[in-house]
Amino acid sequence: MDHATRAAKFIGDADRTTWHDETLWFVRAKRDKAVYAVPEFQDLRELASQIKDHTLSKLDTYLEQFEEQAKRNGVHIHWAADAAEHNTIILDIIRQHNATRVVKSKSMLTEECHLNPHLLSNGIEVVDTDLGERIIQLRDEAPSHLVLPAIHLKKEDVGETFFKHLGTAKGEVDPQVLTEAARQHLRARFLAAEVAISGVNFAVAETGCVVICTNEGNADLGVNLAHVHIAAMGIEKLIPRLSDLAVFTRLLARSATGQPVTTYTSHYTKPAAGKEMHIVIVDNGRTKQLGRPDFRASLKCIRCGACMNTCPVYRRSGGHSYDFTVPGPIGAILSPNIDMKKHSSLPFASTLCGSCSDVCPVKIDIHTQLYKWRQVLGEANEIPASKKWSMKLMGRLLTSPKAFGVSGKLARQGIKFLPYSLTHARHFNVWAVARELPAPPKQSFREWYQQQANNPA
């Protein structure tokens, strides 16, 4: 099922689509206000971009430095080539401690690796503790946004979910009541957990520490109560020095939610006395993307979600239409690198308006990379034959002034006589689902221009 087919399901609910669109645009507007309040914001973007470019150019060196410093701090380091190895390593650590109860804070990497199903199938109880993540876990859904995983749901949906799973009153929609129910439910899981799993927002090569940014404090509570902390980290999360961190923390929350900074920015350098800390460093296709010059810059992403909040396609089609852990414009760049055939439709789910590139805090040329992926997919024959040949035909038509003029004249005359039921048939014209075909002009611009040239005023 391609993006357009999946998006059709979401768009079918017009009220929800409009609400989703307006809500995300509200977040985008908050981002703009936060940005305008910082006169040096564009300088920060440029600096962050340069830091990431530098780090990616020396990634092997910084990874080795990070490993050395982390081990010196008493942290256990593990390397995973792919998702399967990542899941195996984490399960082995849990089993080594005879643990069966795990709490997990937000981690898009573990979502990418499908860690939850792997642990559950092996008898491990794993509970997502981020409120949005817990909601969708109870609903058995994937996150639809990087920062706002349950943004596709309304309070009525949450109320129904909590009624089924947490025993709240049927029809309860008060956010405060629902949040308190989640708090009480999760508190028992925090206290019982033997292992805490977290993601990593930034990893500092200089110190060997990892940094986790949250608004709910759930990562801190889980990590500090459990005996074992396992941090799942993609290799692209590195920055060279601790002093570089301030650049990114000033960009991250402003770009994501319009906040000056996340409520909690926690540094984990070494395990507390009597406890263990493990960091699983994961590739899972990242070095492959690093080896693609046209797409290397996508690894600079700090997972703020700003490109999604501004994207007209994402806002109107929903995150689940992308069928990939990271949806939206940045996901449409990362996904073909993982599976070109499965995700071949995603780079085409874009207007190429460039708004995503304009708001990216690390200045990734997102719309340019989407255009380049289209070329790569075309050359690899990973686009539908109908689209491929229609584009070739259109290319020839548009490069021939004579053919273009004749075809335009035929189309203008033909539309006058074709029945409405044919010109607006959904099978032939998918745009007719929500639009009326405008009346054809009496003459083309070329004809009008020639007329003016022959009859000057």
Side-chain angles (χ1 to χ4, degrees):
M1 195 183 296
D2 63 11
H3 175 269
T5 306
R6 289 189 297 268
K9 293 183 177 181
F10 187 79
I11 296 170
D13 187 338
D15 290 339
R16 185 179 295 268
T17 303
T18 301
W19 168 81
H20 188 265
D21 182 20
E22 292 175 348
T23 301
L24 286 166
W25 188 252
F26 170 76
V27 179
R28 160 68 205 270
K30 282 184 64 182
R31 174 262 176 202
D32 290 347
K33 290 178 182 177
V35 165
Y36 296 149
V38 181
E40 67 273 22
F41 193 82
Q42 297 306 323
D43 293 330
L44 288 169
R45 288 182 70 212
E46 179 61 30
L47 183 54
S49 179
Q50 289 183 17
I51 291 170
K52 280 290 188 177
D53 281 332
H54 167 77
T55 308
L56 291 173
S57 71
K58 298 180 180 295
L59 190 57
D60 55 341
T61 302
Y62 285 123
L63 283 170
E64 290 176 353
Q65 182 186 6
F66 176 80
E67 178 185 32
E68 180 183 348
Q69 291 300 123
K71 285 183 174 179
R72 192 174 294 172
N73 296 333
V75 178
H76 300 277
I77 298 295
H78 311 265
W79 297 87
D82 53 28
E85 195 169 357
H86 163 271
N87 294 345
T88 298
I89 290 169
I90 292 181
L91 179 60
D92 286 346
I93 296 170
I94 295 170
R95 283 179 168 169
Q96 286 168 15
H97 293 83
N98 297 314
T100 58
R101 297 183 297 273
V102 174
V103 289
K104 182 165 72 69
S105 58
K106 186 183 291 182
S107 166
M108 297 310 294
L109 177 58
T110 60
E111 292 285 348
E112 175 188 323
C113 295
H114 305 292
L115 177 65
N116 281 16
H118 181 73
L119 295 182
L120 291 168
S121 66
N122 282 277
I124 307 298
E125 178 194 64
V126 55
V127 175
D128 281 302
T129 59
D130 173 88
L131 179 57
E133 292 279 351
R134 185 56 178 156
I135 292 168
I136 61 172
Q137 185 184 30
L138 291 173
R139 295 173 62 90
D140 195 24
E141 294 178 353
S144 66
H145 190 282
L146 284 175
V147 178
L148 312 165
I151 191 64
H152 59 288
L153 301 173
K154 293 186 175 183
K155 59 185 179 182
E156 291 80 8
D157 303 313
V158 178
E160 184 62 25
T161 301
F162 281 14
F163 166 70
K164 287 182 179 179
H165 298 279
L166 304 187
T168 56
K170 186 172 180 59
E172 180 62 71
V173 295
D174 185 337
Q176 186 171 345
V177 173
L178 296 174
T179 302
E180 182 60 31
R183 178 182 287 119
Q184 297 303 322
H185 161 72
L186 288 171
R187 183 58 58 96
R189 271 65 182 179
F190 280 122
L191 293 171
E194 300 148 310
V195 175
I197 299 173
S198 75
V200 172
N201 288 96
F202 304 101
V204 183
E206 180 184 49
T207 63
C209 79
V210 296
V211 180
I212 303 174
C213 303
T214 67
N215 280 324
E216 299 174 20
N218 57 304
D220 298 324
L221 188 57
V223 167
N224 284 291
L225 288 175
H227 177 72
V228 180
H229 173 202
I230 305 172
M233 167 191 150
I235 60 173
E236 81 283 9
K237 295 295 187 178
L238 274 178
I239 57 175
R241 303 164 301 181
L242 189 59
S243 59
D244 297 325
L245 181 64
V247 176
F248 294 95
T249 55
R250 294 188 72 193
L251 292 167
L252 178 59
R254 286 182 170 89
S255 299
T257 56
Q259 299 170 253
V261 69
T262 50
T263 306
Y264 302 92
T265 301
S266 305
H267 298 235
Y268 294 96
T269 304
K270 61 182 180 180
K275 296 187 177 184
E276 286 186 16
M277 180 175 175
H278 298 256
I279 300 175
V280 185
I281 304 174
V282 185
D283 183 343
N284 202 38
R286 286 159 175 77
T287 53
K288 183 179 178 183
Q289 190 82 326
L290 187 65
R292 298 179 185 270
D294 288 337
F295 308 110
R296 179 181 299 146
S298 62
L299 294 176
K300 297 194 293 187
C301 176
I302 59 173
R303 303 296 193 265
C304 68
C307 61
M308 301 170 196
N309 301 336
T310 199
C311 177
V313 175
Y314 172 86
R315 296 199 321 265
R316 300 292 296 182
S317 63
H320 289 155
S321 65
Y322 291 81
D323 193 28
F324 187 64
T325 305
V326 181
I330 189 64
I333 297 171
L334 299 172
S335 54
N337 177 64
I338 300 295
D339 190 331
M340 191 181 295
K341 186 175 184 66
K342 179 181 178 182
H343 301 297
S344 61
S345 66
L346 296 189
F348 295 90
S350 170
T351 63
L352 300 182
C353 64
S355 185
C356 49
S357 302
D358 290 341
V359 300
C360 178
V362 288
K363 302 185 75 170
I364 301 172
D365 55 336
I366 299 175
H367 71 293
T368 302
Q369 292 190 40
L370 289 171
Y371 174 67
K372 289 178 178 177
W373 260 125
R374 296 181 184 187
Q375 295 173 307
V376 172
L377 290 165
E379 292 171 0
N381 292 316
E382 293 293 354
I383 58 176
S386 58
K387 180 179 286 188
K388 178 181 178 180
W389 290 108
S390 63
M391 289 299 102
K392 282 191 173 183
L393 178 63
M394 187 61 70
R396 291 187 177 182
L397 181 67
L398 295 176
T399 54
S400 171
K402 186 175 182 180
F404 181 73
V406 170
S407 62
K409 184 174 291 186
L410 291 174
R412 289 194 300 277
Q413 295 301 318
I415 289 174
K416 293 179 181 178
F417 300 103
L418 288 173
Y420 180 88
S421 59
L422 183 61
T423 59
H424 286 72
R426 295 187 180 190
H427 181 71
F428 298 107
N429 181 12
V430 294
W431 292 92
V433 174
R435 298 171 179 84
E436 285 289 331
L437 195 66
K442 296 180 179 180
Q443 61 181 173
S444 68
F445 173 81
R446 184 183 295 273
E447 290 170 341
W448 174 86
Y449 184 84
Q450 190 64 45
Q451 185 181 61
Q452 299 303 311
N454 294 335
N455 302 291

